[in-house]
Amino acid sequence: MHNSLYIRDLLRRTNSDPLYVARRDSHRNLMPDPDAEPGPGDFALQGRWRVQSDGPYGAGEMVRDLEDALSRLGVTVHRDAEQIVHLVQAADLPPGAYRLSLAPHQVRVEGAGAAGLWAGLAQLEREMRVRRGPFLPRAEIVRRARWPVQISQGPWGGNYSVPDFSPEYLSDDAFRLYAHYGVNSMMIYGDMLCYVQSAVFPELTNKDYARNIAVLKNAAQRALRYGVRFAYVVVGPKLRATHPLFERLPSARGSGVPSRVEDWTIHCLCSSDEACLAFYAETFENLFAQVPELAGLNLIIGGESYYHCRMWSRPTARCPRCYAQETEDVVANLVRVTADAVHRAQPDAFVNAWPYNTDWWERPDCHELIRRLPSSAGFYDQIDRNQAYQKDGYVKKIWDYSVDYIGPSDSIRARAQIVKERQLDLFVKTETGIGLEVFQYPYVPAMQRLADKWQSVRSLGPQGVQQSWLFFGMFGSRAEELALWARYHADVPRDDFLRAIAARDFGPEAAEGVLFFDEADTMFG
């Protein structure tokens, strides 16, 4: 689970599989309806058009993308045409925002940075999609991102696990798909030991470090052409008790638990040992210096991933130094060391503490942890976890990833208030389409319920949202469009947005029949 090294052949085949490639095509099913006509206030893109960009980042990719979209919609694209769709970087817009100026013979798409310009380009295409042809409104449209960071799972069929991010494992069509759905960050996941070249702990230096870091940097630069940056969920070291590092430096050995497959114990690095903390600082400062394109780190410090001595509920080997301290102090200091190291190399990167499962902690509400987190870190939480949800005649315990309960949970409301008081960034984890109640499907067609869950996310005022975990992979579903709506279309009522999707995909005459606006008839209504 923690890296891609042992399933490389499978991942390579999967990424290039025709079915996966087809589903990742951001222009799939893009075609004109021969019966569609411009509506009142609309105009048609007639004659020859060309696409022109003055943007320094991703200009070639943007031009080719829009040329392909126009061609599929029946517009004649020619490099010498006098009618122009002009893609322009805008200095007067906030990050991620865009402005469309739409008039016959002259269409202008302005965006703040690569992410904003891609978002504007995608909206231009969407305006034509919902009109079922090459038609646009005579209008100026300005939209801003509701929160700065939108994180998605890896692409359907593409790799998300370190360190294999070369094009044969993670191709550019993934980044292009994200750009069309308002996503500006892709979650990558796995073992930090892939990126270790250490003077502090030379025993942990990875023999393939140079290759791994080069592949990551190349992938991050490819992604950035689409306005996408990587959000890294880090898995920390777990080593045998007899590892050469521990034999040289016994003080580095932290708490441990028995292996499930061998007769030995695995240990984390001690969370309070100065040499271990120096190793973390060295590794992450170097990582962000070598790959400054990274968006940041999400550190699961409850139950899994970013291991520390107070992580496990029943360790068979307890670290005496860390168990002499309160859990919150151990964790907060580890997060502080990590965040400070990242920010020495990349001041704008985020570093978030994510207490996914703290049920066994002395204070599982995490209120005290939030109060002790450094100001350089943010707090990351789930929209629905651990809620006692009152149903008709019974109480349903929401673990997480529910499509039934829309949230926000009592837990995240209370935590978010303390985060706000501390003036920390809040990141919220939700799901775009699945729920553990019907986990076997890539998304549940309960669009009103999913949209209402996004309203709950909006209500918390987050600085970042992760819209899905590593389940099916992103493939451009209708449910994933709701994430775009939540981030960019706060002024558009839920039912209006859904009606536009229904009319686009099923035809204007059939739209009302597929909407089920009577909540009593919807799934989980």
Side-chain angles (χ1 to χ4, degrees):
M1 289 180 62
H2 297 155
N3 58 59
S4 57
L5 301 176
Y6 298 103
I7 55 171
R8 282 175 162 166
D9 290 342
L10 172 63
L11 292 171
R12 189 183 297 112
R13 293 195 305 270
T14 302
N15 185 58
S16 60
D17 182 274
L19 175 62
Y20 290 103
V21 171
R23 292 298 293 179
R24 294 196 304 257
D25 180 5
S26 54
H27 289 162
R28 71 175 189 270
N29 302 326
L30 181 58
M31 63 185 72
D33 177 353
D35 296 326
E37 296 181 354
D42 293 345
F43 66 93
L45 277 69
Q46 298 175 332
R48 301 195 308 175
W49 285 78
R50 64 184 166 98
V51 182
Q52 176 179 310
S53 174
D54 66 356
Y57 240 176
E61 289 82 1
M62 292 180 193
V63 169
R64 288 191 292 272
D65 181 274
L66 189 52
E67 287 178 340
D68 179 62
L70 292 174
S71 296
R72 294 195 193 199
L73 286 168
V75 177
T76 301
V77 176
H78 196 281
R79 293 297 173 90
D80 295 327
E82 295 184 357
Q83 298 182 104
I84 302 173
V85 180
H86 198 182
L87 309 177
V88 183
Q89 294 281 354
D92 64 326
L93 292 173
Y98 60 84
R99 178 168 49 234
L100 307 182
S101 302
L102 309 175
H105 316 300
Q106 181 72 42
V107 173
R108 187 177 178 90
V109 181
E110 300 173 86
L117 196 48
W118 271 105
L121 180 152
Q123 182 60 29
L124 182 71
E125 293 181 9
R126 189 172 190 280
E127 295 289 342
M128 292 184 283
R129 280 180 182 269
V130 298
R131 288 168 172 79
R132 300 169 66 83
F135 314 127
L136 290 169
R138 300 172 187 260
E140 179 175 273
I141 300 170
V142 181
R143 297 201 182 279
R144 293 170 171 80
R146 183 91 174 206
W147 41 81
V149 181
Q150 184 90 354
I151 307 170
S152 178
Q153 62 188 324
W156 198 42
N159 184 41
Y160 58 78
S161 296
V162 299
D164 294 303
F165 298 127
S166 59
E168 59 186 332
Y169 296 98
L170 178 63
S171 43
D172 283 16
D173 59 357
F175 309 135
R176 182 178 176 224
L177 181 66
Y178 295 142
H180 281 76
Y181 283 79
V183 171
N184 66 349
S185 189
M186 172 186 159
M187 173 188 166
I188 61 174
Y189 177 82
D191 200 327
M192 64 176 280
L193 292 178
C194 290
Y195 301 115
V196 170
Q197 186 178 58
S198 178
V200 178
F201 289 163
E203 297 91 342
L204 299 185
T205 291
N206 190 299
K207 64 181 179 59
D208 294 321
Y209 165 81
R211 173 193 175 276
N212 293 344
I213 207 79
V215 168
L216 179 62
K217 184 172 183 64
N218 176 266
Q221 291 176 340
R222 287 191 291 120
L224 202 57
R225 295 200 296 268
Y226 298 84
V228 176
R229 304 171 74 189
F230 291 142
Y232 184 11
V233 177
V234 180
V235 177
K238 306 174 297 302
L239 309 172
R240 297 189 187 197
T242 57
H243 191 279
L245 169 63
F246 295 151
E247 291 184 347
R248 177 178 70 85
L249 194 66
S251 63
R253 188 169 63 207
S255 297
V257 293
S259 168
R260 295 183 178 181
V261 295
E262 300 284 351
D263 187 22
W264 39 263
T265 301
I266 55 173
H267 293 259
C268 66
L269 300 180
C270 175
S271 316
S272 301
D273 180 73
E274 290 301 321
C276 293
L277 294 173
F279 165 74
Y280 282 115
E282 170 197 48
T283 298
F284 287 110
E285 182 173 359
N286 178 67
L287 178 63
F288 278 79
Q290 294 297 318
V291 193
E293 298 86 357
L294 293 173
L297 305 179
N298 289 321
L299 309 174
I300 306 179
I301 44 79
E304 58 189 66
S305 293
Y306 203 50
Y307 293 97
H308 53 80
C309 289
R310 304 299 297 268
M311 171 75 73
W312 294 296
S313 60
R314 291 182 295 275
T316 53
R318 290 191 174 196
C319 170
R321 284 165 295 180
C322 291
Y323 271 84
Q325 307 172 63
E326 292 185 325
T327 301
E328 292 85 357
D329 287 333
V330 173
V331 174
N333 189 55
L334 178 61
V335 172
R336 177 189 63 79
V337 168
T338 306
D340 289 351
V342 168
H343 292 147
R344 283 194 292 272
Q346 179 29 306
D348 295 331
F350 57 77
V351 178
N352 295 316
W354 181 2
Y356 174 69
N357 183 5
T358 56
D359 294 351
W360 65 271
W361 286 22
E362 293 180 7
R363 291 180 285 266
D365 60 20
C366 289
H367 294 181
E368 194 59 35
L369 172 65
I370 300 170
R371 294 187 179 101
R372 300 187 196 188
L373 284 176
S375 59
S376 55
F379 187 77
Y380 183 121
D381 203 5
Q382 294 90 251
I383 189 67
D384 52 6
R385 186 172 172 81
N386 287 340
Q387 181 70 18
Y389 179 31
Q390 181 65 54
K391 299 282 286 184
D392 186 12
Y394 67 98
V395 174
K396 177 179 178 180
K397 177 66 179 294
I398 303 297
W399 181 38
D400 58 8
Y401 307 140
S402 172
V403 73
D404 186 4
Y405 175 66
I406 66 171
S409 68
D410 296 338
S411 172
I412 196 173
R413 289 179 190 270
R415 291 173 172 182
Q417 182 58 39
I418 303 173
V419 170
K420 182 178 180 180
E421 292 168 0
R422 291 265 351 259
Q423 298 183 328
L424 304 178
D425 285 347
L426 175 67
F427 277 56
V428 176
K429 166 68 185 63
T430 188
E431 281 294 329
T432 50
I434 67 100
L436 294 189
E437 296 92 350
V438 279
F439 193 62
Q440 65 271 34
Y441 299 110
Y443 83 94
V444 178
M447 298 289 282
Q448 289 86 351
R449 178 55 58 98
L450 296 173
D452 290 345
K453 193 163 189 175
W454 275 110
Q455 294 280 33
S456 294
V457 172
R458 282 176 177 170
S459 72
L460 294 169
Q463 283 70 51
V465 176
Q466 179 155 340
Q467 66 183 46
S468 46
W469 185 246
L470 306 170
F471 294 121
F472 288 91
M474 185 169 178
F475 62 95
S477 68
R478 294 184 186 96
E480 285 163 335
E481 285 189 72
L482 292 173
L484 174 70
W485 166 71
R487 187 169 183 233
Y488 275 103
H489 298 264
D491 60 318
V492 179
R494 180 198 73 173
D495 294 354
D496 290 353
F497 192 83
L498 294 178
R499 184 175 285 106
I501 292 176
R504 177 197 68 196
D505 293 350
F506 300 99
E509 297 79 10
E512 294 299 326
V514 299
L515 285 176
F516 301 112
F517 279 126
D518 181 357
E519 293 294 334
D521 292 335
T522 61
M523 185 177 293
F524 303 113

